[in-house]
Amino acid sequence: MDVFRDLYQQLIIDHNQNPRNFHELENASHHAEGQNPLCGDNLSVYVKEKDGIVEEVSFTGSGCAISKASASIMTSALAGLEVSKATRLFEDFITLATTGEGGAELGKMEVLGGVHKYPARVKCATLAWHTFRGALDNTNEIIKTE
Ligand code: ZN
């Protein structure tokens, strides 16, 4: 089976070709680097947080279609959320990507739940999210999926 057919190809292609919020963020309050050596995905995630609200999220870097599409969809989903809500969304997404369960609150991101059948691809889909979490935690280490 082809992973892309399982993942609602069009949405992935669209976000891969026209990634949203694909730039560095001026005045970012948090930033982290993420690497998925297995696939060669390298992402930087920038977060602007103020008064407990995730005001803006952006990313740069290079990677496969799934890692970029997931990052792009993530940046749109997180903007404007309270930090506690963003953290919950992170947990929901990781559960969805690793088990295929849940996702009702995740909207469009639900299509990425199909990756749970492809363990190597789970790391592509979750890289941006783990990097976002690391950024919130002010980690100085590179977030690695391995
Ligand atoms: Zn990848």
Side-chain angles (χ1 to χ4, degrees), residues 104-144:
E105 285 213 20
L106 293 168
K108 289 193 273 199
M109 283 180 287
E110 210 177 335
V111 302
L112 286 161
V115 296
H116 80 275
K117 287 180 266 178
Y118 308 89
R121 292 303 200 166
V122 168
K123 293 174 179 175
C124 301
T126 57
L127 177 64
W129 287 85
H130 284 297
T131 308
F132 166 73
R133 194 72 184 82
L136 276 188
D137 290 342
N138 291 316
T139 184
N140 288 318
E141 289 169 25
I142 293 173
I143 308 293
K144 289 213 168 133

Side-chain angles (χ1 to χ4, degrees), residues 29-97:
S29 56
H30 305 272
H31 165 248
E33 309 277 330
Q35 293 179 356
N36 173 19
L38 198 69
C39 179
D41 308 318
N42 292 295
L43 298 178
S44 298
V45 172
Y46 303 83
V47 182
K48 192 198 281 180
E49 183 240 314
K50 202 178 161 217
D51 302 329
I53 304 287
V54 175
E55 292 191 332
E56 240 180 306
V57 183
S58 73
F59 77 107
T60 60
S62 61
C64 67
I66 290 175
S67 67
K68 278 179 75 182
S70 182
S72 172
I73 295 168
M74 178 192 82
T75 60
S76 306
L78 291 172
L81 296 184
E82 288 174 23
V83 170
S84 59
K85 171 88 178 145
T87 306
R88 209 152 56 232
L89 207 60
F90 160 79
E91 286 162 4
D92 287 351
F93 183 78
I94 301 302
T95 301
L96 175 73

